[in-house]
Amino acid sequence: MKKLLLFISVAVSVISCKPIQETKVVAFEMPAVDDIAMYQVNPRVFAPEHSLNAVAARIDSIRDLGVNVMWVMPIYPIGVEKGKNSPYCISDYKAIAPEFGTIDEFKHLAQVCHEHGMGIILDWVANHTAWDHPWVKEHPEWYTRDEKADTIICPQPWNWEDVADLNYDNQDMRAAMVDAMKFWIVEVGIDGFRCDVADGVPADFWKAAIDELRQAAGDRKIVMLAEGKNVDNFTVGGFDMNYGWDYKDELVKVWKGASAENLIKADKAEYDSLPDGKVKLRFTTNHDHSTEATPCVEFGSDRGAMAAYVASIFLHGGALIYGSQEVGYPEPINFFKYVPVDWTAKPQIYKEYQALIKLYNNHPALRKGSLTTYPDKDVLVFEKTDAAERFLVLVNVRDKQVTIALPENWVKREGLDELNNRDVDLEQEITLKPYEYLILRR
């Protein structure tokens, strides 16, 4: 018995002295902001539990789309008081909900992203917290009050009743918020944040926070994406990217019958106010929009959805794929609960997104070249050029055959249909099938 006890004592001593295994450091550098192709992860479409491991298990399929940054939706503990199971109702900024996994499992996901040449950014909710976040009881002065100054309120004008509005007049709260953000940059090793309701938080807070985060990251480059459309996201706040909300709204209107020329106007309006080097994130769906309708429904069909995607990403770059759209998932996705996705569905749609992002990555002219537009009511027509290449992109925005006159400098030329790898003899006019698009190079 004494020998047995001695053996157990020695074994426990050895185990307890074993150092905690650290996350492997992988050499990785974030892409330039105008080279980003982003993939949005909603963990609740990957698995009902330990979904971070399920995302890591699909890393090859995600990487093979050609994306180079993964954005992970909130994975923090979710508030219960007044809660609706929304991941944007956060009760602890420095922890992970058991539903999604553990800190070590998230570090593993970050590691495999870096090993596969992808950065990883995390959703951050600075506008509000859950009602059962410890701050509510420990620091009630950190929250916005009603007119009588005696009751904490939910965010206005949205009336999100499951969350409590934070008071950015309080400097201590600001400092605690930045400290929590730094934890994920320094201790976990992520590459930036997508900041929820960025327009609802003062731009001067974002400026101070982003400056501190970049300093904390040292030599590592981080990317900051604002879910907002205010120009002060850039001019004051210091963000790299924000949302192309107006362009997406116009895209839907065009697919319902408005002139394709309106897309050119919407694109110009968004970029006219942008400082140099900043980018609008362009998308046909995201977690908010897919709660109502997925692209294949909102844009009429799978063909309509693919045409809309081409119309979104090649005018000015900033490409986003929302996890599930690459397999043409047809039903709305409520991100407040687990929704299983069949990742083997519609492999031809996956291959089409893959081919488009490959063009996006391989030809800088297509994502950030000089833009020349040719307004038309039924076809989006534009030219993208740089010192090396010239492209003509045509997108039929109608569910009918359309014939259109080509720009004069493309008439009587031979163009290469990039997606189908075939030569096309170009005459005065070209006929496009319903929702057909062409990406021509000469």
Side-chain angles (χ1 to χ4, degrees):
M1 178 63 71
K2 289 182 179 179
K3 289 182 179 180
L4 178 60
L5 291 173
L6 178 62
F7 173 79
I8 294 172
S9 176
V10 171
V12 170
S13 176
V14 170
I15 292 170
S16 64
C17 292
K18 184 179 180 181
I20 297 173
Q21 186 174 1
E22 295 183 358
T23 302
K24 179 182 176 183
V25 177
V26 179
F28 172 78
E29 183 177 354
M30 282 288 276
V33 65
D34 55 3
D35 292 333
I36 286 176
M38 190 176 294
Y39 184 87
Q40 181 186 357
V41 165
N42 170 9
R44 284 175 165 168
V45 303
F46 285 85
E49 58 184 16
H50 290 279
S51 48
L52 293 174
N53 285 341
V55 176
R58 289 200 55 78
I59 198 71
D60 289 337
S61 177
I62 295 170
R63 185 273 315 276
D64 289 349
L65 281 168
V67 295
N68 52 24
V69 173
M70 177 186 290
W71 150 28
V72 181
M73 287 172 62
I75 52 176
Y76 319 96
I78 295 170
V80 175
E81 183 180 347
K82 301 183 184 180
K84 300 177 180 178
N85 206 31
S86 167
Y88 291 88
C89 177
I90 295 167
S91 62
D92 187 344
Y93 281 119
K94 291 186 178 181
I96 292 179
E99 169 192 346
F100 303 122
T102 66
I103 287 284
D104 285 341
E105 288 170 351
F106 184 69
K107 287 182 177 180
H108 173 68
L109 176 59
Q111 177 182 319
V112 298
C113 279
H114 291 164
E115 289 173 345
H116 286 74
M118 289 189 290
I120 182 167
I121 66 174
L122 188 55
D123 226 315
W124 193 258
V125 186
N127 185 70
H128 48 261
T129 73
W131 289 99
D132 46 5
H133 192 294
W135 289 357
V136 174
K137 290 184 178 180
E138 295 171 4
H139 303 285
E141 71 278 11
W142 290 7
Y143 291 84
T144 308
R145 304 298 185 101
D146 62 10
E147 293 179 356
K148 295 181 180 179
D150 57 2
T151 304
I152 296 173
I153 63 172
C154 63
Q156 300 301 317
W158 306 286
N159 289 320
W160 296 326
E161 296 179 354
D162 59 331
V163 290
D165 192 61
L166 285 164
N167 173 20
Y168 274 84
D169 290 335
N170 190 291
Q171 297 303 311
D172 291 336
M173 186 279 291
R174 288 185 175 217
M177 184 67 70
V178 174
D179 175 73
M181 297 178 80
K182 286 167 67 174
F183 167 79
W184 295 95
I185 296 288
V186 176
E187 302 298 328
V188 181
I190 68 169
D191 305 298
F193 292 98
R194 176 267 188 190
C195 296
D196 187 64
V197 199
D199 292 349
V201 175
D204 69 312
F205 166 77
W206 291 125
K207 168 62 177 171
I210 291 171
D211 285 350
E212 283 201 46
L213 294 176
R214 296 198 193 283
Q215 184 176 7
D219 293 336
R220 292 192 300 125
K221 181 166 59 177
I222 64 170
V223 166
M224 299 295 295
L225 164 63
E227 187 214 13
K229 60 181 185 180
N230 291 347
V231 69
D232 63 8
N233 296 154
F234 302 121
T235 56
V236 179
F239 281 98
D240 302 296
M241 309 175 74
N242 78 355
Y243 267 46
W245 282 124
D246 292 341
Y247 188 84
K248 168 61 196 296
D249 290 345
E250 201 58 49
L251 197 68
V252 173
K253 293 176 185 176
V254 167
W255 253 249
K256 290 181 177 179
S259 174
E261 182 180 357
N262 291 0
L263 293 174
I264 295 172
K265 294 176 181 177
D267 174 72
K268 186 176 186 300
E270 285 192 336
Y271 268 87
D272 276 353
S273 63
L274 250 61
D276 290 342
K278 305 298 184 179
V279 174
K280 284 281 184 181
L281 186 70
R282 291 276 169 80
F283 46 84
T284 54
T285 194
N286 53 42
H287 66 283
D288 286 314
H289 286 182
S290 277
T291 62
E292 301 294 330
T294 52
C296 56
V297 173
E298 189 166 36
F299 297 103
S301 64
D302 286 336
R303 298 313 324 140
M306 297 311 304
Y309 194 71
V310 172
S312 297
I313 70 169
F314 290 117
L315 275 166
H316 266 110
L320 174 71
I321 295 177
Y322 175 51
S324 68
Q325 79 178 90
E326 74 267 33
V327 292
Y329 189 80
E331 301 299 325
I333 294 176
N334 181 348
F335 62 90
F336 286 32
K337 64 181 182 179
Y338 170 59
V339 178
V341 167
D342 179 3
W343 299 104
T344 65
K346 299 182 181 179
Q348 72 280 8
I349 296 295
Y350 175 93
K351 291 179 181 178
E352 192 168 357
Y353 278 109
Q354 187 180 46
L356 290 171
I357 297 298
K358 183 178 181 180
L359 286 178
Y360 182 93
N361 290 333
N362 289 350
H363 301 282
L366 277 173
R367 65 182 183 273
K368 56 185 178 182
S370 298
L371 174 67
T372 304
T373 59
Y374 302 93
D376 183 84
K377 64 182 180 66
D378 293 320
V379 181
L380 177 64
V381 186
F382 59 94
E383 190 178 68
K384 296 297 292 291
T385 60
D386 63 11
E389 295 182 306
R390 179 183 298 270
F391 290 88
L392 182 68
V393 180
L394 304 102
V395 183
N396 181 1
V397 305
R398 307 294 179 224
D399 192 15
K400 65 179 182 179
Q401 181 172 293
V402 174
T403 299
I404 185 173
L406 285 172
E408 290 185 8
N409 59 337
W410 284 81
V411 174
K412 299 297 182 182
R413 302 271 189 165
E414 187 177 87
L416 175 65
D417 176 354
E418 283 286 346
L419 280 180
N420 298 302
N421 193 30
R422 64 185 178 93
D423 291 328
V424 179
D425 292 324
L426 301 174
E427 301 298 332
Q428 296 283 345
E429 296 180 332
I430 193 165
T431 298
L432 299 172
K433 299 174 185 176
Y435 292 137
E436 183 180 6
Y437 60 85
L438 287 175
I439 301 172
L440 303 172
R441 177 168 62 92
R442 75 162 202 251

